[in-house]
Amino acid sequence: MFDARHVITSVEELRQLVPPPRPAQVTKVLPALDHHGRRWIERSPFVVLASADADGRMDLSPKGDPAGFVRILDDRTVAIPDRPGNRRLDTLRNVLERPRVAVMFLVPGRGEVLRVAGRAQVVTDPELLATMEEAGSRPLLAMVVAIDEAMFHCGKSVIRSGLWSPDRWPAIDDLASYATCLADQTTSDETVEEMEARFATWHQGNELY
């Protein structure tokens, strides 16, 4: 636990601890993608998508494919394919209730990230989906985001974490497999062995559906 007397409740209290940002940090938020942002998205194979439902419950969803899988439709619009997954539809349901989303783009080997925020729609445009075909599989849906804000975030957190430095990665041998976690935490219609065999097909390019 912690001492409730030390809870910060105002911006003024925050500023007593943290000095004002430098001018570049204040002015770096753009209303659209510039050429730097476009090139970053073209090199990004992995994004994290934040959304919330009508009650404000937050969700973070990882999305990944070969670099450039997020399509840049124009400087104010990007499209994210919805690949087969767990079928929960958390992000898509959230967008239908509350369209505002935020997306964080990562590029392996770089500490910085690109942050984009805007309003999303779920679309089934066949011409758009045809451009998103990967390994012979065309997505059923895509999320089109109308950008309000785009900005680069400095690399301090990634550098401190050693995210791209294998020699600093923690040991993972004692971490339970995904199948074991599901077996312990859920009511499943499969055994651990059946789940392990199915999940192994992911690495062979097969779909989860």
Side-chain angles (χ1 to χ4, degrees), residues 55-143:
D55 295 321
R57 289 186 292 262
M58 299 294 299
D59 178 73
L60 287 173
S61 179
K63 306 288 184 183
D65 250 334
F69 75 100
V70 175
R71 297 292 187 263
I72 301 171
L73 305 186
D74 57 49
D75 288 346
R76 292 179 177 270
T77 317
V78 296
I80 306 171
D82 186 64
R83 301 296 184 193
N86 58 23
R87 309 185 202 174
R88 285 177 51 92
L89 304 180
D90 294 315
T91 302
L92 299 177
R93 287 159 58 105
N94 286 351
V95 166
L96 295 178
E97 295 181 10
R98 181 178 286 189
R100 288 206 60 81
V101 299
V103 190
M104 182 173 69
F105 293 85
L106 285 82
V107 172
R110 287 294 297 264
E112 304 78 19
V113 300
L114 176 67
R115 293 163 47 182
V116 170
R119 298 177 66 84
Q121 294 177 297
V122 181
V123 305
T124 58
D125 182 340
E127 292 187 5
L128 174 61
L129 298 179
T131 70
M132 297 176 161
E133 187 169 313
E134 183 64 38
S137 177
R138 184 176 300 185
L140 300 175
L141 304 162
M143 184 177 300

Side-chain angles (χ1 to χ4, degrees), residues 17-61:
L17 296 172
V18 182
R22 300 181 70 87
Q25 301 304 317
V26 176
T27 59
K28 69 180 180 179
V29 182
L30 304 178
L33 298 174
D34 65 357
H35 66 287
H36 297 300
R38 292 177 69 103
R39 292 192 66 187
W40 192 272
I41 291 173
E42 291 167 354
R43 305 293 177 86
S44 175
F46 185 79
V47 307
V48 181
L49 176 60
S51 63
D53 66 13
D55 295 321
R57 289 186 292 262
M58 299 294 299
D59 178 73
L60 287 173
S61 179

Side-chain angles (χ1 to χ4, degrees), residues 181-198:
C181 292
L182 287 180
D184 289 344
Q185 298 172 348
T186 71
T187 301
S188 177
D189 59 352
E190 298 174 293
T191 66
V192 171
E193 291 74 22
E194 289 171 334
M195 286 190 283
E196 295 281 17
R198 182 162 60 85

